[in-house]
Amino acid sequence: MNNSANGSGNGATAAPILECKDLCISYYTRAGEIPAVVDFSLTVQPGETIGIVGESGCGKSTVAMAIMQYMGHNGGITGGSIKFKGRDMTKMSEAELRQLRGSEIAMIYQEPFASLNPSLRVSTQLLEVPMTHENITRAEARERCMQVLRDVRLPDPARVMNSYPHQLSGGQQQRVVIAMGLLSNPSLLLLDEPTTALDVTVEAGIVKLIADISAKYGTSQIYISHNLGLILETCDRVFVMYSGEVVEEGRIKSLFTWPRHPYTHGLFACIPLPTADKNAAPLRPIPGQLPLPHERPVGCYYAPRCNHFKEGLCDARHFPMEKVEGDEGANHFVRCLRWREIDHHQEAPGGDPRAAAEIGDCCLEVTDMQKYYPVKDSSLKALFTGKRMRNVKANESLNFRAHEGETVAIVGESGCGKSTFAKVLMGLETGTGGEIRHDGVDIAEIAVRDRSNRQISSLQMVFQNPFDTLNPSHTIGAQIERVVKKFGVEKNKAAVRERVMKLLDTVKLPRDFYYRKPRQLSGGQKQRIGIARAFAGNPSMVIADEPVSALDVSVAAAVTELLTDIQREHRTTLLFISHDLSVVRYLADRIVVMYLGQIMERGTTEQIFSPPYHPYTEALLSAVPIADPEVTKREIVLDGNVPSAMDPPSGCPFSTRCPRKIGAICETENPPERQASERHYIKCHIELDELRKVEEVIHVPKEEERIRAE
């Protein structure tokens, strides 16, 4: 049993909002009962924010669904209790639960598209909440909705109310869902990965927004996430779950400063902290996979993946949580029999050093590259001027280089033109102007159907969503074989098969995966197959478009290390597209920062992460959640959304959101590109001497500072 069920938190003297005690949850299938969550205990005090972290499949969302009593027909609570304000929810009638949901307990789901009805206006969906749960008029409900939309900082609430969900951006939809959750001033708010699909800048704004509104209304919260940096910034206490049970819990500072359970150490070793280095201190992925509920081992569930497993002790029996001595008042508990024997300083993130990839000659040179899309303009102005067609500038005057064996990251928010450039590079689109020289040949205006086999094989892509990139009807072996034969890497049937087997070895998957279909693989395994297929034609350059954004931290670390290992071996150039600067800092040699189709800043990774910054780069750095309590950063939250490429600002594209705007020049003139140092360029009206005076955004304490703090 989790002995901290009566632990202290914010407002510990008050009656708890929520108490889960010895909770057991199962799903019923044709194969029998599947125990999804076992022995789960949790107490939430008024105004307290709790974090629940762990890999996919560990039971985080199942706990949330049980609290909401949304288990479905095949799920149920088999033991324990859930008390909300002292009332046992497991004994409530359906009518009582309906009255409770939305008014007292609300939930914000991971995917806003699935939370909003596409056929109903936002007003219909929002008005339903207060009118169902409170005895108020439609006019009063409408005014309440307008006020909450203003609270979540949505511009023009009247327009939003009159819109359908598809007429709003992803960030706006998520804010509507948050507003819906807060409409009846709930006592408890459940947030299931509320920002996973959002840009880091939008995420930073929404996280601050939820914190401000919760403080305003005194709302308690339960955050469910695999993003430890987000949990550090938002929560008071954290619960680490593994295979359906809590393995460690404690207050944020205690658990993040000195974790005790080997699994918690494993999670931290998977995160690209500012101190991580892909060569000197690479990430250490957790070996193996989460066990299926009906295949859990006897004793410690983490034993098959643990470096500290001791036969006869860890596999003898199941054991309860244990209080960590010397941590009085912190309510730190751990489910491990050997935590006292483990040298936790030796468990610090960072694997064995590796040799850096050798950087060769320039293999990609982009010069004044442009990509415009002609669109029909049906505005009144176009009707009078007669100019019915206009150009949307997805990419405008891009300039940068990439060398053999180098990793170049392209970063920026959604809609900045990153993926458009990748499509032109791959030949899925053709450029409008400028050049893209790959191996000396200008390929900007050569569509993929007009390229030679050699040109196609030399440029391959790893896509963001591994679920949509594999043919569900064909085996893994057949899909990789097709690439090997298509590009003439091998022709003999036996040689082709052996080549596929070696590729499976390269991506660290068993050879019997050759016979499997995609549905038999996990998300991380599918992404590894995507990488194997990309490297099957011996490419000189691989474009990786958000390849780890949809994956758990442990799987993302394994995929990241896999990419770097293959790059070292084959000296492949890697073009890494992302909005996550923590991964970019770890992986990239050079960084290109894009905004609304233009390059705002470019330079080496060290240059990008140190002043002088472009104001947009500064905001991106501030938005990165960092899972290290000793690292401090300045808070910069951007207002508004990225402007539409259909109607960009007339001057600097960033002028509408820039916190450092210096005047009318920013709104009327496109800024010049200034050279800050060798290979470091910033496109801004602000003088470089002024930008050099800017304080660093992320401060990582030096070793002497850490020792002094201890």
Side-chain angles (χ1 to χ4, degrees):
M1 172 183 168
N2 181 342
N3 296 315
S4 70
N6 297 313
S8 63
N10 293 349
T13 55
I17 292 293
L18 181 75
E19 288 180 282
C20 299
K21 190 171 183 180
D22 303 336
L23 189 63
C24 296
I25 307 167
S26 292
Y27 289 100
Y28 301 94
T29 69
R30 292 178 181 178
E33 181 181 341
I34 305 295
V37 173
V38 292
D39 192 27
F40 180 87
S41 295
L42 164 77
T43 299
V44 184
Q45 300 291 346
E48 187 178 27
T49 300
I50 300 292
I52 303 179
V53 301
E55 296 170 279
S56 294
C58 71
K60 307 186 299 293
S61 296
T62 298
V63 168
M65 290 301 184
I67 293 171
M68 293 293 290
Q69 298 289 294
Y70 275 152
M71 294 301 299
H73 295 297
N74 69 327
I77 296 169
T78 59
S81 63
I82 302 175
K83 290 184 179 179
F84 179 74
K85 293 185 176 180
R87 299 172 62 200
D88 193 340
M89 294 181 67
T90 61
K91 297 178 181 177
M92 289 183 183
S93 67
E94 189 57 38
E96 290 175 308
L97 290 171
R98 274 199 303 271
Q99 188 57 37
L100 204 63
R101 299 185 194 115
S103 60
E104 289 280 356
I105 305 176
M107 187 164 179
I108 298 172
Y109 297 90
Q110 178 174 354
E111 184 52 78
F113 306 101
S115 304
L116 297 171
N117 189 322
S119 64
L120 299 177
R121 294 185 190 274
V122 169
S123 58
T124 305
Q125 301 181 62
L126 289 179
L127 288 169
E128 182 182 30
V129 178
M131 292 183 70
T132 299
H133 295 289
E134 302 173 46
N135 186 25
I136 60 175
T137 65
R138 187 177 184 84
E140 290 172 327
R142 187 174 185 84
E143 181 52 41
R144 172 91 61 82
C145 293
M146 296 283 282
Q147 180 56 50
V148 176
L149 288 177
R150 283 191 285 268
D151 284 343
V152 298
R153 300 190 187 115
L154 273 169
D156 196 358
R159 183 191 67 81
V160 172
M161 287 280 281
N162 199 43
S163 300
Y164 288 95
H166 72 270
Q167 295 174 305
L168 305 176
S169 69
Q172 290 172 328
Q173 287 182 0
Q174 190 65 290
R175 288 173 192 241
V176 168
V177 171
I178 292 168
M180 191 180 296
L182 295 168
L183 263 174
S184 288
N185 189 15
S187 301
L188 178 65
L189 186 62
L190 306 177
L191 304 105
D192 189 0
E193 301 276 13
T195 58
T196 297
L198 303 178
D199 287 322
V200 286
T201 50
V202 178
E203 176 184 73
I206 284 180
V207 166
K208 186 176 186 303
L209 174 70
I210 295 172
D212 290 346
I213 293 176
S214 296
K216 177 180 177 181
Y217 294 112
T219 310
S220 300
Q221 300 175 73
I222 297 178
Y223 255 100
I224 295 170
S225 181
H226 62 250
N227 186 336
L228 287 168
L230 179 65
I231 293 297
L232 173 63
E233 292 184 0
T234 56
C235 298
D236 303 306
R237 286 191 294 140
V238 60
F239 288 66
V240 181
M241 288 190 71
Y242 183 81
S243 190
E245 67 178 6
V246 176
V247 295
E248 186 167 8
E249 65 165 287
R251 297 199 67 78
I252 284 290
K253 186 174 181 183
S254 173
L255 191 141
F256 274 71
T257 304
W258 199 349
R260 264 63 173 196
H261 197 282
Y263 177 59
T264 313
H265 281 296
L267 289 178
F268 279 109
C270 292
I271 300 170
L273 297 171
T275 51
D277 184 298
K278 67 177 179 180
N279 299 316
L283 303 179
R284 287 184 298 170
I286 302 173
Q289 294 181 31
L290 198 77
L292 295 172
H294 59 283
E295 295 177 351
R296 290 170 179 145
V298 176
C300 177
Y301 293 164
Y302 186 61
R305 306 172 73 185
C306 184
N307 294 327
H308 303 283
F309 170 73
K310 187 173 182 180
E311 192 174 355
L313 176 67
C314 299
D315 57 355
R317 61 179 179 82
H318 204 62
F319 40 88
M321 297 281 276
E322 184 177 333
K323 193 174 192 333
V324 175
E325 298 100 345
D327 215 356
E328 298 299 329
N331 285 333
H332 199 149
F333 294 81
V334 62
R335 196 186 298 270
C336 179
L337 297 175
R338 301 199 64 199
W339 70 267
R340 294 180 189 82
E341 306 166 34
I342 299 171
D343 185 348
H344 299 283
H345 289 290
Q346 293 295 321
E347 296 294 312
D352 298 328
R354 300 178 186 177
E358 185 181 339
I359 307 298
D361 298 330
C362 178
C363 65
L364 179 72
E365 186 172 7
V366 182
T367 308
D368 294 329
M369 182 259 164
Q370 298 172 326
K371 176 58 184 176
Y372 298 168
Y373 291 98
V375 295
K376 188 174 181 180
D377 189 348
S378 56
S379 67
L380 192 62
K381 180 181 177 182
L383 184 64
F384 280 107
T385 60
K387 296 179 180 179
R388 303 301 300 271
M389 298 299 295
R390 59 189 297 190
N391 286 323
V392 175
K393 299 178 179 180
N395 290 148
E396 176 70 8
S397 193
L398 304 189
N399 293 277
F400 69 91
R401 294 181 177 183
H403 293 73
E404 184 181 305
E406 186 177 42
T407 300
V408 177
I410 303 179
V411 301
E413 295 169 284
S414 298
C416 73
K418 308 186 300 292
S419 296
T420 298
F421 169 73
K423 289 176 183 177
V424 175
L425 182 59
M426 293 293 294
L428 301 175
E429 302 272 3
T430 54
T432 305
E435 295 182 346
I436 300 177
R437 290 196 168 271
H438 179 245
D439 292 339
V441 179
D442 183 7
I443 59 172
E445 296 184 22
I446 306 176
V448 66
R449 63 180 175 274
D450 299 322
R451 293 184 183 183
S452 66
N453 262 7
R454 180 181 167 279
Q455 287 175 323
I456 296 173
S457 66
S458 64
L459 286 168
Q460 289 294 299
M461 195 161 183
V462 179
F463 296 92
Q464 177 176 0
N465 193 342
F467 303 94
D468 295 337
T469 56
L470 296 174
N471 190 321
S473 304
H474 295 172
T475 63
I476 298 304
Q479 297 188 58
I480 302 176
E481 275 184 353
R482 183 175 182 272
V483 180
V484 175
K485 289 187 285 190
K486 167 75 176 174
F487 297 130
V489 178
E490 298 287 354
K491 294 183 179 179
N492 178 274
K493 188 174 181 179
V496 169
R497 183 186 175 90
E498 184 56 29
R499 169 71 176 162
V500 174
M501 293 301 184
K502 286 181 178 177
L503 283 165
L504 289 174
D505 294 341
T506 300
V507 297
K508 299 178 175 64
L509 288 175
R511 289 193 168 196
D512 66 359
F513 274 41
Y514 179 95
Y515 303 101
R516 293 195 184 185
K517 297 276 183 76
R519 66 175 181 273
Q520 297 172 289
L521 275 59
S522 68
Q525 290 168 342
K526 288 178 183 177
Q527 193 62 291
R528 287 173 184 241
I529 295 300
I531 293 170
R533 189 173 59 180
F535 281 90
N538 294 329
S540 61
M541 176 177 287
V542 170
I543 300 95
D545 189 0
E546 301 273 15
V548 298
S549 64
L551 305 177
D552 281 329
V553 287
S554 55
V555 180
V559 170
T560 302
E561 288 308 297
L562 177 62
L563 283 169
T564 56
D565 287 345
I566 297 175
Q567 183 184 43
R568 288 187 186 98
E569 182 181 349
H570 298 281
R571 297 185 66 194
T572 311
T573 305
L574 185 62
L575 205 63
F576 192 82
I577 297 173
S578 180
H579 65 253
D580 186 348
L581 275 168
S582 59
V583 176
V584 164
R585 181 175 192 160
Y586 172 77
L587 199 59
D589 301 301
R590 288 196 299 118
I591 298 173
V592 175
V593 181
M594 288 186 66
Y595 185 82
L596 209 62
Q598 299 186 37
I599 294 177
M600 297 288 100
E601 185 172 2
R602 54 191 170 103
T604 66
T605 302
E606 186 177 345
Q607 290 168 339
I608 296 295
F609 276 80
S610 304
Y613 310 111
H614 187 282
Y616 179 55
T617 308
E618 188 181 13
L620 286 178
L621 292 175
S622 175
V624 177
I626 299 173
D628 187 341
E630 295 182 344
V631 174
T632 57
K633 63 178 183 175
R634 288 191 289 115
E635 183 182 275
I636 303 168
V637 178
L638 295 179
D639 291 327
N641 299 307
V642 179
S644 168
M646 290 276 291
D647 189 23
S650 55
C652 172
F654 189 54
S655 62
T656 58
R657 304 170 74 198
C658 182
R660 296 189 180 277
K661 189 165 68 173
I662 58 176
I665 190 173
C666 296
E667 299 173 355
T668 57
E669 295 183 24
N670 202 26
E673 188 175 69
R674 307 176 189 270
Q675 185 170 359
S677 58
E678 186 181 1
R679 299 182 74 187
H680 185 198
Y681 297 86
I682 297 175
K683 191 173 185 179
C684 186
H685 286 297
I686 303 173
E687 295 294 334
L688 289 173
D689 288 342
E690 288 298 312
L691 292 177
R692 288 190 179 98
K693 295 176 185 176
V694 173
E695 180 189 352
E696 64 181 354
V697 175
I698 300 172
H699 176 67
V700 182
K702 295 181 172 59
E703 191 59 35
E704 53 267 27
E705 292 179 90
R706 291 180 184 270
I707 294 171
R708 203 160 46 241
E710 290 177 2

